[in-house]
Amino acid sequence: MVLKAFCTRTSALLHQRFCSDYVKQMRYLFNLKEDDDACRQALTSGTFYLFHNLAPLLQKSKEGNTAPQINASEVNTILEKMGQQEMKLEDSVLIDCSEREVAQFALDLGSQGS
């Protein structure tokens, strides 16, 4: 009986924590969508998924093809190598945020007409 009460209480606490974390994450995402300054600041610390003409750029791995997460400085380096200095990180689209409240953006490299 004590074990059942403990399991029920533990389950409820875990569910409550999951919901609390989810709400916190959604509030952060909503803030980024509504506040341009917060979103611009998140561009420097966020991660990016790269696309070309709406097709994701993938990387081969042992598990198969994956979409690598790239940080802002790596994206700028890629843009410089491609000769697309006119494309800026601000051209990216906010798509989500991680559980650790790291903003995730998508950037289509082919949309600017390479």
Side-chain angles (χ1 to χ4, degrees):
M1 188 67 146
V2 173
L3 182 59
K4 183 177 180 181
F6 174 75
C7 289
T8 303
R9 187 178 315 173
T10 303
S11 176
L13 289 174
L14 288 175
H15 178 72
Q16 183 180 8
R17 179 169 172 85
F18 171 77
C19 289
S20 174
D21 289 345
Y22 177 78
V23 169
K24 184 178 175 185
Q25 184 179 349
M26 290 301 105
R27 285 183 179 154
Y28 176 70
L29 188 60
F30 181 78
N31 183 47
L32 290 177
K33 289 180 178 181
E34 295 295 316
D35 186 351
D36 289 340
D37 292 330
C39 193
R40 266 189 226 96
Q41 186 176 7
L43 281 170
T44 60
S45 61
T47 58
F48 293 81
Y49 293 98
L50 300 180
F51 293 79
H52 186 270
N53 294 329
L54 302 179
L57 296 180
L58 302 176
Q59 185 176 36
K60 288 190 179 209
S61 67
K62 294 177 184 177
E63 295 82 31
N65 293 331
T66 60
Q69 293 183 358
I70 301 171
N71 65 36
S73 63
E74 291 173 314
V75 172
N76 283 326
T77 302
I78 291 169
L79 292 175
E80 287 175 15
K81 287 181 180 179
M82 293 178 62
Q84 292 190 4
Q85 288 86 2
E86 72 277 357
M87 181 181 271
K88 302 175 190 163
L89 294 181
E90 287 85 13
D91 294 334
S92 62
V93 177
L94 176 66
I95 55 173
D96 201 4
C97 68
S98 71
E99 293 175 2
R100 294 187 175 139
E101 295 183 4
V102 176
Q104 298 172 340
F105 298 91
L107 181 60
D108 192 349
L109 301 175
S111 66
Q112 297 294 318
S114 346

